[in-house]
Amino acid sequence: MDIGGTNMRAAIINSAGEILAQDRQPSHFSELPIDDPQVTNKTITSQICHFITKMCSKPNAPQQVGIGFPGFIRGTTGVLLSSPNMPTLNNFPLAEVISRETGLAVTIQNDGLCAAVGEYHFGVGRCIDESSLLHITLGTGIGGGLVLQGKPYSGETGMALEFGHIKIEATGLVCGCGSSGCLETRASATAVINNYQQRTGLKRQAKEIFGLARDADKNALEVLQQAGWFLGCGIAQAATLLDIGHYSIGGGLANAWLLLEPSIQNALGEKLFSAQRAQVHIHHSQCLDDAGILGAAMLALKCAI
Ligand SMILES: [Zn+2]
């Protein structure tokens, strides 16, 4: 499953990564009241369990459940340390509760890490000659995940690779995380929409801005070029810190790949020294929207641990 604050998606996936059935439904979890955590958490868990039961009534009923979730998860315990958009779930043993109610083994991991595992096993990872891949998801915010020497890496407390919150400007825009100068304020879909609106006074969706850029609208082209350039700065920092050669980029904003890529390359050329530059390769995601759900399944099957 891939669970978000407003939608959730489930798929039945075999160990070869084939999607045998899939379904999606609205969740609206991020809009639930937070004054009574017990009631809210009961609403969230029963909606998830109901969706799982529905999937179990289909042919090839799942034997195990893997869930990608937007929050910090401590190791393989399935305990949510914190979930910024669903705060009632902080320190909540989500995997244990869902497992008890459904009778199935449940594995939960950060959604960005799941996407990295999916992309490593079934997408870009199959075409590279190294065993490490950093995956970046450009959506409303920016997520990240790392497969390091063949293993998913989530850090000591589950908070590694918060790629959207690495600092790319010493003094920059204020970010939703409370800090400022974060990559997310410059290279997410939200940043592109805001930047375009500031320049033109017009509120346009990211998809519309892609269309305008393809039609050579100067402002649309420049906001995408700027997003790509800042993303390249972020990747250069990761490359400097980790000495990893391959970076895959997915999420809605990556649909503008042909417009973003040259600016990402420009930033890498500017920010990396030449020996590093030759080793750093960027790739458009091959799994696209399926990266997270495929990775969640692989983690549940323990194929990726
Ligand atoms: Zn931030």
Side-chain angles (χ1 to χ4, degrees):
M1 297 181 81
D2 195 358
I3 298 180
T6 50
N7 284 290
M8 55 182 172
R9 195 173 152 216
I12 299 176
I13 295 169
N14 64 17
S15 56
E18 292 164 329
I19 295 180
L20 308 175
Q22 60 178 311
D23 202 353
R24 66 170 69 226
Q25 63 182 52
S27 61
H28 304 299
F29 293 154
S30 54
E31 295 156 30
L32 291 171
I34 56 170
D35 51 337
D36 191 341
Q38 250 183 329
V39 172
T40 297
N41 291 350
K42 180 76 192 156
T43 306
I44 293 174
T45 51
S46 40
Q47 275 196 47
I48 295 171
C49 291
H50 187 258
F51 200 9
I52 292 171
T53 309
K54 187 177 164 196
M55 295 307 284
C56 286
S57 68
K58 295 178 189 282
N60 303 302
Q63 306 297 307
Q64 290 162 91
V65 180
I67 299 177
F69 204 86
F72 303 129
I73 289 111
R74 187 182 285 279
T76 54
T77 61
V79 175
L80 259 171
L81 284 179
S82 97
S83 180
N85 296 321
M86 293 170 250
T88 57
L89 289 171
N90 292 354
N91 295 309
F92 188 77
L94 190 56
E96 189 189 314
V97 171
I98 296 172
S99 179
R100 201 166 52 224
E101 288 188 28
T102 58
L104 294 166
V106 176
T107 304
I108 292 185
Q109 257 313 341
N110 172 268
D111 51 0
L113 184 65
C114 289
V117 169
E119 193 68 45
Y120 179 77
H121 280 274
F122 300 112
V124 167
R126 291 194 300 191
C127 314
I128 61 178
D129 53 3
E130 290 172 18
S131 58
S132 298
L133 178 72
L134 198 158
H135 183 73
I136 302 155
T137 308
L138 303 176
T140 312
I142 295 182
L146 172 64
V147 174
L148 186 63
Q149 298 178 331
K151 307 262 184 212
Y153 180 80
S154 59
E156 295 295 328
T157 60
M159 291 191 267
L161 276 298
E162 276 301 306
F163 200 71
H165 304 286
I166 60 170
K167 309 298 176 250
I168 38 93
E169 291 175 291
T171 52
L173 301 171
V174 174
C175 178
C177 73
S179 183
S180 63
C182 298
L183 180 62
E184 192 164 292
T185 67
R186 291 296 194 177
S188 61
T190 312
V192 164
I193 291 166
N194 290 344
N195 195 351
Y196 189 81
Q197 189 173 12
Q198 264 174 8
R199 286 162 176 253
T200 63
L202 301 168
K203 177 104 177 159
R204 295 278 181 261
Q205 293 306 306
K207 228 187 236 178
E208 296 174 289
I209 297 171
F210 302 165
L212 289 163
R214 283 188 202 105
D215 293 339
D217 176 294
K218 184 173 170 286
N219 285 303
L221 276 168
E222 281 178 10
V223 298
L224 288 169
Q225 282 164 355
Q226 192 187 70
W229 193 85
F230 278 114
L231 178 60
C233 293
I235 292 172
Q237 287 195 29
T240 304
L241 193 65
L242 297 166
D243 185 24
I244 284 176
H246 293 277
Y247 300 80
S248 52
I249 299 160
L253 192 59
N255 290 333
W257 182 250
L258 293 178
L259 297 164
L260 290 171
E261 192 199 359
S263 311
I264 302 173
Q265 300 284 12
N266 285 345
L268 292 174
E270 198 174 305
K271 301 291 178 189
L272 294 173
F273 51 86
S274 58
Q276 278 178 315
R277 181 69 198 90
Q279 303 303 322
V280 171
H281 308 278
I282 55 169
H283 311 266
H284 187 198
S285 164
Q286 291 179 11
C287 295
L288 303 174
D289 287 347
D290 293 336
I293 212 159
L294 288 168
M298 285 302 99
L299 288 163
L301 290 169
K302 310 287 187 276
C303 297
I305 296 172

